[in-house]
Amino acid sequence: MPTLTLLRHAKSSWNDPVSRDFDRPLNARGRKAAVTMGRELRREGLAFDHVIASPATRVTETIDGFAQGFGETMAPAWDRRIYLASAATLIDVLHGLPADAASALMVGHNPGLEDLVLLLVPDTAGDALRAEVEIKYPTAAVATLEWEGGWADLREGGARLTRFVRPRDLDASLGPDGD
């Protein structure tokens, strides 16, 4: 049974004078949130045998902070298709993961990651985690999904959401401010 962990990039800076959205860096709160989320997933005992990520600056900086908190160097497969991708494109990327990858981390952007969770996890009454994702998938939040079969078997309504953690759940100073 594969495990997919989705990490949305941390809070980026809109005040940085970069010319392209792709080049936006993290702000101070985003850097702190990335480290915090890495520490939390290390504390929970997660491990990843495959990491795939958007090459956007805010994602590369998120991975750097996450790896610092997680205590391991990350060597992602950079995939430009993840940058601002739709849920359908993200599924295509995931279908291409190596068959022997048991636990993958995908680091990317919204609305694609949120849409992916909502597409893969059926809308059943009483699913509090899915309901939280539906309200908002904030920056640096992590969702973990599992399903029967392999990567090629990932399909609409076929997964279970087993974890949804937001930075504010771990540190109130990382709470919402309209992001």
Side-chain angles (χ1 to χ4, degrees):
M1 173 182 327
T3 301
L4 172 62
T5 300
L6 302 170
L7 170 61
R8 182 178 174 200
H9 69 77
K11 185 80 173 152
S12 61
S13 174
W14 287 97
N15 297 326
D16 201 284
V18 296
S19 60
R20 299 182 317 159
D21 174 74
F22 188 86
D23 299 323
R24 261 188 307 120
L26 296 183
N27 65 19
R29 190 177 103 192
R31 288 188 294 277
K32 180 179 178 183
V35 172
T36 299
M37 296 308 285
R39 277 192 202 118
E40 175 63 11
L41 295 193
R42 179 186 65 211
R43 186 192 67 73
E44 291 184 22
L46 268 65
F48 308 105
D49 53 28
H50 197 79
V51 179
I52 187 165
S54 161
T57 300
R58 59 192 178 273
V59 172
T60 63
E61 291 181 0
T62 296
I63 291 171
D64 290 345
F66 180 86
Q68 178 186 342
F70 196 68
E72 288 185 22
T73 302
M74 301 274 164
W78 303 107
D79 193 325
R80 179 106 184 181
R81 294 176 296 167
I82 298 171
Y83 176 66
L84 304 181
S86 67
T89 298
L90 295 175
I91 288 174
D92 287 343
V93 171
L94 292 166
H95 282 166
L97 288 178
D100 63 347
S103 180
L105 172 66
M106 177 182 269
V107 189
H109 310 266
N110 250 8
L113 293 180
E114 179 178 333
D115 292 345
L116 181 64
V117 172
L118 297 176
L119 180 71
L120 296 176
V121 178
D123 187 6
T124 56
D127 187 341
L129 288 179
R130 188 185 188 285
E132 288 297 318
V133 170
E134 198 165 3
I135 292 169
K136 185 172 187 180
Y137 197 125
T139 53
V142 168
T144 302
L145 298 94
E146 296 177 344
W147 62 96
E148 298 299 324
W151 297 103
D153 300 309
L154 187 60
R155 60 178 168 68
E156 183 175 343
R160 284 184 320 282
L161 182 61
T162 61
R163 172 184 294 105
F164 183 61
V165 180
R166 300 162 296 203
R168 72 175 182 220
D169 297 333
L170 307 172
D171 179 342
S173 73
L174 298 172
D177 69 351
D179 67 346

